[in-house]
Amino acid sequence: MSRPARALLDATALRHNLDRVRDHAPQAKVMAVVKANGYGHGLAWAARTLAAADAFGVASAEEGAALRESGVTRQICLLEGFFDAAELPLLARHGLEPAIHHEEQLRAIEAAALDRRLSVWLKIDTGMHRIGFAPEEAAAALARLKACAGVGAVRVMSHLACADDRSDPATKSQIERFLTLTRDMGLEKSLANSAGIVAWPESRLDWVRPGIMLYGAAPLTGAGAAELGLKPVMTLQTALIAVHRRRKGEAIGYGGDFRCPEDMPVGVAAIGYGDGYPRHAPAGTPVLVNGARAALIGRVSMDMITLDLRAQPQAKAGDPVVLWGAGLPVDEIAAAAGTISYELLCHVAERIPRVISNESADERG
């Protein structure tokens, strides 16, 4: 019997979450963001399951080429653009659409002799202050792209920095700045990320770019995924591999950080930081054992965690343990561990098998 740790992926939930995007922005085209191995779910699988999307967003040419090689024919945007002029022939060959966000990229694309014209996305910095042309540089950059022999269609985008907080005025300012800058450009526009899609209607323009909401995690602070009508796509699951009666005062795990306050059953589950479970998850972080809550105790090890089973004295080796997913939101575990759901999902290790349910024949490829 193989190690019981599994990431169960629900294709129906992923399609449902895409439908929720359409509900919020029915007039917009959808660029489904599948970078970072589909947020840990699998790049090709996520794209196949999201085949109803209008385009896909990835971080690099390598991810874009991998999608093409898996059979994806939709538009693919490289959200960080290209990193070196040597990549441009690959982009042209695969029809990948880079974000153009700084002067060196402009010079490279102006100097390139390509067999195929590139569609590109002009990236404007409206307040994120990460990548993108400054507002006062945008018009000149656009003029150069339009004059470039190697460039075909041009679209324009920016990125919201604080949209997860409905009370933050920075988002309203960014939206107004972007709309003012692009009003007379005559280009298709994209601004809304997951939080923008859910909470900021004015940001839902020609294109929307959902990421985390597709995978069933909440893009907003103070609002749970279920409240937003999202379903978890990944359930990280394992099983108990041992249950022991421990005496009052006995120390559990590395460093003896947890000492049993009374005689109690302690379970050991086959999952750890080597699998992507957060090492810094503190005692008290919840899991589900046989569908009921139990608490993490002791330090997370590379391959194992220990659990307080006082509320489930009947639990035994082989019983299922859910770390997050169905019945236990990943956002709750992320908050307990002092991180975000994005990190937990993206860090699920390759050694964890992905087991897919509710997949159509077309999605199986």
Side-chain angles (χ1 to χ4, degrees):
M1 180 179 177
S2 62
R3 188 167 181 261
R6 298 283 186 273
L8 311 179
L9 304 181
D10 186 345
T12 296
L14 188 54
R15 291 189 296 266
H16 165 87
N17 296 336
L18 177 59
D19 289 341
R20 292 294 296 135
V21 174
R22 300 276 192 199
D23 291 342
H24 284 291
Q27 305 304 317
K29 295 179 183 179
V30 176
M31 181 191 297
V33 181
V34 295
K35 62 183 179 177
N37 195 31
Y39 285 54
H41 295 67
L43 175 66
W45 176 76
R48 285 198 308 271
T49 308
L50 294 168
D54 301 287
F56 295 101
V58 297
S60 67
E62 291 83 358
E63 289 180 335
L67 283 183
R68 287 287 185 245
E69 289 162 6
S70 74
V72 170
T73 58
R74 300 282 193 189
Q75 290 174 241
I76 298 174
C77 175
L78 308 184
L79 294 168
E80 294 180 46
F82 58 92
F83 306 101
D84 189 280
E87 296 179 78
L88 287 171
L90 177 68
L91 271 58
R93 184 162 65 252
H94 288 295
L96 307 178
E97 303 179 3
I100 304 299
H101 56 80
H102 65 78
E103 173 67 22
E104 287 75 11
Q105 289 176 321
L106 265 180
R107 290 175 183 169
I109 206 166
E110 286 172 331
L114 301 174
D115 296 331
R116 177 180 178 181
R117 300 173 81 193
L118 293 177
S119 294
V120 301
W121 293 77
L122 173 64
K123 181 72 173 281
I124 303 175
D125 178 11
T126 55
M128 183 80 169
H129 297 152
R130 191 173 59 178
I131 60 173
F133 289 97
E136 62 272 17
E137 300 170 336
L142 176 59
R144 288 170 65 182
L145 287 172
K146 286 184 171 181
C148 183
V151 171
V154 181
R155 299 175 178 87
V156 61
M157 60 166 44
S158 189
H159 195 61
L160 298 173
C162 304
D164 59 319
D165 183 353
R166 286 180 166 126
S167 67
D168 195 319
T171 302
K172 186 173 186 293
S173 297
Q174 276 196 266
I175 294 170
E176 291 173 351
R177 189 174 298 119
F178 185 69
L179 292 177
T180 299
L181 286 167
T182 60
R183 182 176 294 121
D184 299 323
M185 286 184 175
L187 305 178
E188 292 183 0
K189 307 174 184 67
S190 179
L191 182 59
N193 53 11
S194 290
I197 291 164
V198 171
W200 301 91
E202 303 92 340
S203 72
R204 304 168 195 156
L205 303 173
D206 302 293
W207 288 83
V208 294
R209 306 191 307 273
I212 194 65
M213 71 181 294
L214 291 172
Y215 306 98
L220 301 178
T221 56
E227 177 185 344
L228 299 174
L230 304 174
K231 296 182 178 181
V233 177
M234 177 192 291
T235 295
L236 185 62
Q237 179 176 298
T238 188
L240 293 174
I241 59 171
V243 176
H244 299 286
R245 292 289 304 181
R246 298 300 182 193
R247 295 186 179 278
K248 180 179 180 179
E250 287 188 334
I252 305 297
Y254 285 117
D257 289 358
F258 180 88
R259 290 189 177 272
C260 297
E262 60 183 318
D263 292 355
M264 59 185 286
V266 172
V268 181
I271 200 84
Y273 63 77
D275 304 298
Y277 191 77
R279 182 183 180 276
H280 44 284
T285 300
V287 302
L288 300 180
V289 178
N290 294 318
R293 289 193 173 221
L296 180 72
I297 56 174
R299 294 184 192 174
V300 174
S301 302
M302 183 181 290
D303 311 300
M304 291 176 280
I305 58 173
T306 45
L307 305 172
D308 179 351
L309 296 179
R310 282 178 290 178
Q312 295 193 62
Q314 79 288 352
K316 62 187 184 302
D319 285 352
V321 178
V322 169
L323 292 311
W324 64 66
L328 186 61
V330 66
D331 297 296
E332 181 178 353
I333 308 309
T339 185
I340 55 175
S341 58
Y342 304 70
E343 182 178 29
L344 296 189
L345 296 174
C346 291
H347 283 188
V348 174
E350 288 186 14
R351 74 174 182 173
I352 296 292
R354 273 63 169 175
V355 180
I356 297 164
S357 63
N358 300 317
E359 190 173 41
S360 70
D362 288 342
E363 290 165 354
R364 284 192 289 271

